[in-house]
Amino acid sequence: MNSELTILIVDDMEINRSILSGIFRSEYNVLEADSANKALKILYSGTKVDLIVLDLIMPGMNGMEFLRCIKEDKRFDNIAIVVNTQSGDQENEIKALELGADDFIMKPYNPKIIKRRITNIIEKYIYQKNVMESSLKDAQERIDNLIDTVPGAIVIFEMEEDINISYFSGGLCSITGYTEEEINMLEDIFTLVHTSDREIFVRMLENAKNNGVIHCRVRMCHKHGGTVWCGINTKKTVTSSGKCRYNMVILDLTEEKKAEQRAERSMLELRYRAEHDTLTGLLSRESFYNAAGKLIEKGDSEYIIGYWNIDRFKVINELFGRDNGDMILCSVAKWIRESIGRNGICARFEADHFVTCTTREFIADNMDNIGKFLLGEQKWNSLNYPVLLHVGYYEVEDKNIMVNLMCDRANMALQMIKNNYMVRYNYYNGTLKNNIMAEQEIVNDMNDALSSKQFFVCYQPVVDTITKRTVSAEALVRWKHPERGIISPGLFIPVFEKNGFITKLDMYVCEEVCRHQHEERLKGHKVVPVSVNLSRINFYNNDLHKEILSLLKKYDLTSEDIKLEITESAYQDNPEDLIMAIDTLQKYGFKVLMDDFGSGYSSLNMLKDCPVDILKIDMKFINDIEYSERASSIVYNIINMAKTLKMETLVEGVETKQQYELLVNMGCDNIQGYYFSKPVSDEEFVNRIIMESVV
Ligand code: C2E
Ligand code: CA
Ligand code: CA
């Protein structure tokens, strides 16, 4: 018996049903329904039916209507239908076949024929079912294999109020670390998505409801902790029965994400390197310009650009080596960065050039601190050597000026004080700009001025304190500029000292003086020694003495006809070379004066090392010698000390009778100053000597 197959007999006539049941019962399961409605009930209840024998003529819903109803319902696609007609009712037969009936049987029933027909249909149906099943299985296998080869996971689900997963591939287990059973036990699929990314995931599902394929990137939670970056594609499909189904593909993006992160890190590192100075970690020039521009533009504070520079950094490098030099740069950077904190930004532009952009309040509130730092008084420097700095400030008033120009201006303010020990910081202002322009003019014109003899020498007499007679003179240079008139040396000497031109000018003055002495002697006039100023830069020149000696020779003079003035501050720059040069010059018979004595910070040190012949006491002591006991006592002691050291004393800047008389009493040897004479032209000076000789 083929009891797995069920035949449903639908007929209102009991006699027909029992005949037909009798025919099939031995081989099939047989169900009976005496109306179309009852038959539908059986079918809708889910009872498995393989074939229906249907009577066309029934009260209520007739066979045709029942047939139409069954054929329209996809669930009953696999049920074969055999229509039961009266013999000769061809019209109904055709209609039934059109409506999808598979065959028909006729009354009166011939059991043999009926059995055969039904068996044929059932065999055909079973055969078809087998074929379908095997091709389905085949397709399923193909899909399974395909899914296995697809990287990642596939999830199929329906989404009404909840999400019902109808299928997920093994990939979901590999991605999440959960077993199939564990995933089945999960309350919902959201549990697998990282809490921070659930919103994205939900939004994606919402979009999927409306817009076909939707993509998102979320972190999935791994069973053993940690997260897995995944790319998710979801596509809505509508089944043939009208249901919405969602296909989701989940790809593990861990490797991709790692590569992305590596690339991102490299990019960040590259950018950091481009934006920072590798030695100190401060900003580089370009990034400082950018950052300072933004800071200033934001405009909630007033800003100052600072341009910082270490004094004679080259010397530090030479004395202590590059590594120590680098260490000093790092310490300076650290001090600046830590002091500024959140009050601004800082950069190293190159070498020992540091630049800051800070609020004005910061500079104002930290005056003392910065002052100590500039003087090397703070413990940031581990070298046993004083490291000092200068800083130039530019106060930002016009925010539209380019930051690089602001930095240039701060640098200009710095350059103005670079060699000044006493002044450690300087503010840029309009005058400074004009000074710089004027400096530039001086530089532009200097070579022409020298070759066209625009420089000339004035002589300021030096008199003996007791006899009041002129015993010597100081040669002081002037510039007679064709457009600007007489320019004072105070304006151009510092410029020439910066650019080195001073050595040429000093030799020029020296030659002019030699010519003057030579001509006076030829004329038979009395000649007194004239002292010539030698700027500090000359002491880097080992042949200095040779050049002066050759001038003496050229004008037939001896080393007694000129004296040499060296400013005290030259000692601070380059003590070794200075001591050697003084020694050499003295060996050739020159008298050396120490100019501006007492103005620098190492006067006494210098006196110990440099046995000069004449101490020329700086005029700043003389200014208040009449009113300040302290000042007069200092001058008195200097004069006495010089005597003990067998040095002559000369006081400059004496302007009044009282000053002169005080100095006479102190035992000063010689005096120079407006009280006796201002610097005068060579003719005037010659006349003075002649007059004195006559008296
Ligand atoms: P210095 O060598 O200290 O020269 C003395 C300066 O004091 C001169 O100014 C002089 O005119 C001025 N002076 C003299 N007596 C008095 C006085 O009683 N009261 C006042 N208030 N001033 C007085 P000057 O000629 O303007 O020179 C300024 C500086 O220029 C000099 O200072 C010197 O450092 C430099 N200088 C001048 N000529 C030369 C030169 O040929 N070579 C070098 N290297 N420097 C020079
Ligand atoms: Ca002088
Ligand atoms: Ca002087």
Side-chain angles (χ1 to χ4, degrees):
M1 177 181 136
N2 207 340
S3 57
E4 285 161 26
L5 298 175
T6 303
I7 295 177
L8 170 63
I9 299 162
V10 187
D11 200 318
D12 59 318
M13 307 276 281
E14 205 209 328
I15 178 78
N16 289 345
R17 293 202 302 274
S18 65
I19 294 170
L20 289 169
S21 305
I23 295 171
F24 301 131
R25 192 170 297 125
S26 58
E27 289 185 42
Y28 304 101
N29 264 336
V30 179
L31 298 173
E32 290 178 26
D34 59 6
S35 69
N37 277 333
K38 278 196 185 152
L40 282 176
K41 234 181 223 164
I42 291 171
L43 290 173
Y44 290 149
S45 75
T47 309
K48 180 178 159 288
V49 172
D50 299 291
L51 186 137
I52 297 172
V53 179
L54 175 67
D55 182 20
L56 286 181
I57 299 144
M58 283 186 292
M61 181 190 265
N62 68 28
M64 285 301 179
E65 285 161 356
F66 176 82
L67 186 58
R68 194 172 291 118
C69 182
I70 294 291
K71 284 297 170 190
E72 275 172 4
D73 195 328
K74 296 258 177 212
R75 282 175 295 177
F76 309 131
D77 272 359
N78 293 332
I79 300 176
I81 298 180
V82 175
V83 173
N84 186 358
T85 61
Q86 290 295 331
S87 88
D89 185 1
Q90 286 193 344
E91 196 187 320
N92 265 332
E93 275 169 24
I94 291 166
K95 214 169 161 191
L97 288 172
E98 274 171 4
L99 279 174
D102 295 280
D103 204 350
F104 53 88
I105 50 175
M106 276 171 296
K107 294 171 194 165
Y109 305 126
N110 177 334
K112 268 194 176 170
I113 293 174
I114 288 174
K115 228 177 180 172
R116 191 64 251 159
R117 287 204 153 176
I118 295 299
T119 310
N120 280 351
I121 286 174
I122 280 181
E123 273 177 1
K124 191 174 145 211
Y125 165 74
I126 287 174
Y127 170 75
Q128 272 180 354
K129 206 172 154 187
N130 281 343
V131 168
M132 255 168 68
E133 265 174 10
S134 89
S135 72
L136 239 158
K137 207 174 145 202
D138 195 44
Q140 187 62 46
E141 269 174 13
R142 264 186 284 162
I143 287 172
D144 285 350
N145 289 338
L146 199 65
I147 285 174
D148 282 346
T149 55
V150 169
I154 290 173
V155 181
I156 300 170
F157 58 92
E158 274 125 44
M159 183 162 46
E160 298 292 333
E161 301 238 311
D162 294 327
I163 290 176
N164 294 316
I165 297 179
S166 49
Y167 170 82
F168 62 88
S169 70
L172 193 59
C173 302
S174 350
I175 289 176
T176 61
Y178 289 102
T179 61
E180 221 176 295
E181 294 73 40
E182 283 168 334
I183 293 176
N184 281 327
M185 299 279 287
L186 290 175
E187 232 171 74
D188 59 47
I189 191 166
F190 294 109
T191 330
L192 292 174
V193 180
H194 190 276
T195 42
S196 320
D197 293 346
R198 276 189 199 161
E199 215 183 300
I200 302 174
F201 188 73
V202 169
R203 214 178 310 133
M204 177 206 61
L205 293 178
E206 286 302 318
N207 288 340
K209 278 185 182 167
N210 313 315
N211 302 321
V213 181
I214 303 293
H215 179 77
C216 74
R217 263 183 183 212
V218 294
R219 280 161 293 179
M220 306 278 282
C221 303
H222 195 274
K223 181 184 172 186
H224 304 302
T227 52
V228 185
W229 271 104
C230 292
I232 299 186
N233 276 323
T234 307
K235 186 178 187 333
K236 179 167 103 173
T237 52
V238 181
T239 62
S240 47
S241 61
K243 267 201 160 182
C244 289
R245 182 175 287 153
Y246 296 86
N247 299 325
M248 181 183 272
V249 176
I250 306 174
L251 289 176
D252 181 345
L253 299 181
T254 311
E255 284 311 311
E256 199 177 295
K257 196 77 193 170
K258 271 188 197 161
E260 226 173 66
Q261 281 166 346
R262 274 196 301 271
E264 214 168 277
R265 270 201 299 277
S266 316
M267 283 299 292
L268 283 177
E269 202 180 310
L270 276 179
R271 189 186 309 161
Y272 183 86
R273 278 169 182 243
E275 287 178 353
H276 292 80
D277 164 40
T278 34
L279 177 68
T280 62
L282 298 190
L283 293 175
S284 61
R285 183 192 289 267
E286 284 309 320
S287 44
F288 176 84
Y289 287 160
N290 260 328
K294 283 183 193 146
L295 200 64
I296 292 167
E297 200 187 312
K298 249 193 354 192
D300 38 14
S301 294
E302 295 190 326
Y303 289 94
I304 288 189
I305 302 283
Y307 206 107
W308 311 65
N309 190 246
I310 301 177
D311 287 8
R312 287 170 295 144
F313 182 64
K314 267 197 200 118
V315 178
I316 296 176
N317 262 343
E318 273 162 25
L319 287 179
F320 299 98
R322 268 197 85 88
D323 286 351
N324 280 312
D326 283 355
M327 189 193 74
I328 289 292
L329 291 175
C330 289
S331 308
V332 168
K334 185 165 179 269
W335 191 91
I336 293 179
R337 184 175 45 217
E338 286 176 0
S339 316
I340 291 178
R342 296 175 162 274
N343 298 298
I345 53 170
C346 47
R348 183 171 79 119
F349 276 14
E350 70 243 324
D352 58 334
H353 297 233
F354 295 89
V355 183
T356 54
C357 174
T358 59
T359 57
R360 286 196 194 193
E361 299 92 83
F362 170 76
I363 301 287
D365 295 348
N366 288 278
M367 284 278 273
D368 272 5
N369 229 2
I370 294 173
K372 284 182 185 156
F373 171 64
L374 296 172
L375 281 167
E377 282 174 15
Q378 274 160 342
K379 289 205 169 58
W380 58 270
N381 165 24
S382 54
L383 282 187
N384 188 19
Y385 180 86
V387 178
L388 281 68
L389 289 99
H390 278 100
V391 58
Y393 290 128
Y394 171 74
E395 291 175 302
V396 180
E397 270 152 15
D398 179 358
K399 293 183 177 185
N400 297 319
I401 294 178
M402 306 267 286
V403 177
N404 59 356
L405 202 68
M406 295 180 184
C407 295
D408 284 350
R409 290 182 175 180
N411 190 13
M412 283 181 202
L414 166 76
Q415 294 307 320
M416 297 308 288
I417 51 161
K418 221 177 159 187
N419 295 316
N420 192 330
Y421 176 80
M422 305 304 289
V423 183
R424 292 273 133 201
Y425 64 88
N426 188 30
Y427 278 86
Y428 175 89
N429 55 34
T431 328
L432 180 57
K433 189 182 168 195
N434 294 338
N435 288 351
I436 288 161
M437 304 289 278
E439 238 188 76
Q440 194 52 48
E441 266 180 52
I442 289 172
V443 173
N444 292 346
D445 297 347
M446 63 189 187
N447 285 305
D448 277 354
L450 193 64
S451 56
S452 61
K453 294 198 166 257
Q454 289 172 23
F455 294 107
F456 68 96
V457 178
C458 278
Y459 294 84
Q460 186 176 30
V462 173
V463 301
D464 181 292
T465 318
I466 309 293
T467 64
K468 295 191 183 176
R469 281 181 166 258
T470 306
V471 288
S472 161
E474 178 179 6
L476 293 159
V477 70
R478 302 283 178 267
W479 181 353
K480 190 165 184 248
H481 194 279
E483 284 138 32
R484 296 168 63 190
I486 306 280
I487 307 177
S488 130
L491 289 178
F492 57 84
I493 299 283
V495 182
F496 295 168
E497 280 183 336
K498 260 192 252 169
N499 66 21
F501 187 71
I502 191 67
T503 53
K504 282 191 188 168
L505 184 65
D506 281 349
M507 282 309 119
Y508 175 81
V509 170
C510 194
E511 178 153 11
E512 287 300 290
V513 168
C514 289
R515 181 183 292 122
H516 168 90
Q517 303 288 67
H518 175 68
E519 283 170 2
E520 289 311 297
R521 192 157 280 149
L522 281 184
K523 288 178 194 161
H525 293 158
K526 182 185 168 195
V527 166
V528 293
V530 172
S531 65
V532 172
N533 287 289
L534 287 180
S535 167
R536 62 190 75 195
I537 300 171
N538 289 297
F539 302 102
Y540 290 99
N541 173 11
N542 291 331
D543 291 336
L544 177 68
H545 64 284
K546 290 185 193 157
E547 287 172 25
I548 301 174
L549 287 169
S550 82
L551 283 177
L552 292 180
K553 201 171 167 204
K554 182 172 170 190
Y555 293 100
D556 206 12
L557 302 175
T558 71
S559 52
E560 281 169 16
D561 292 321
I562 62 168
K563 297 180 192 176
L564 302 167
E565 286 194 20
I566 296 159
T567 178
E568 184 205 278
S569 54
Y571 175 81
Q572 168 194 324
D573 284 356
N574 184 5
E576 288 89 12
D577 286 347
L578 184 72
I579 294 167
M580 248 171 51
I582 291 176
D583 191 50
T584 314
L585 291 169
Q586 285 175 330
K587 270 192 196 133
Y588 285 100
F590 292 102
K591 286 220 161 131
V592 178
L593 285 86
M594 185 50 69
D595 200 359
D596 307 328
F597 181 77
S599 65
Y601 70 107
S602 54
S603 309
L604 291 175
N605 257 350
M606 185 224 51
L607 210 56
K608 173 169 66 70
D609 297 331
C610 299
V612 291
D613 304 283
I614 300 165
L615 217 54
K616 191 165 179 180
I617 299 166
D618 195 60
M619 59 181 94
K620 85 164 178 242
F621 290 109
I622 310 309
N623 287 341
D624 49 359
I625 186 175
E626 299 144 87
Y627 318 105
S628 153
E629 250 180 57
R630 217 175 137 75
S632 64
S633 130
I634 289 174
V635 175
Y636 178 70
N637 283 312
I638 294 175
I639 292 171
N640 275 322
M641 180 184 64
K643 284 203 166 122
T644 345
L645 295 171
K646 305 228 168 351
M647 291 173 180
E648 272 178 46
T649 49
L650 164 56
V651 174
E652 64 179 331
V654 177
E655 292 182 351
T656 66
K657 192 162 185 264
Q658 289 98 309
Q659 289 172 347
Y660 164 69
E661 282 168 353
L662 273 169
L663 290 165
V664 174
N665 291 334
M666 287 180 190
C668 167
D669 297 316
N670 295 320
I671 281 179
Q672 178 185 345
Y674 295 172
Y675 178 60
F676 286 106
S677 171
K678 288 199 170 187
V680 293
S681 69
D682 58 351
E683 283 167 7
E684 241 180 277
F685 180 62
V686 168
N687 286 338
R688 181 187 175 93
I689 302 282
I690 295 171
M691 292 296 288
E692 280 183 6
S693 319
V694 174
V695 177

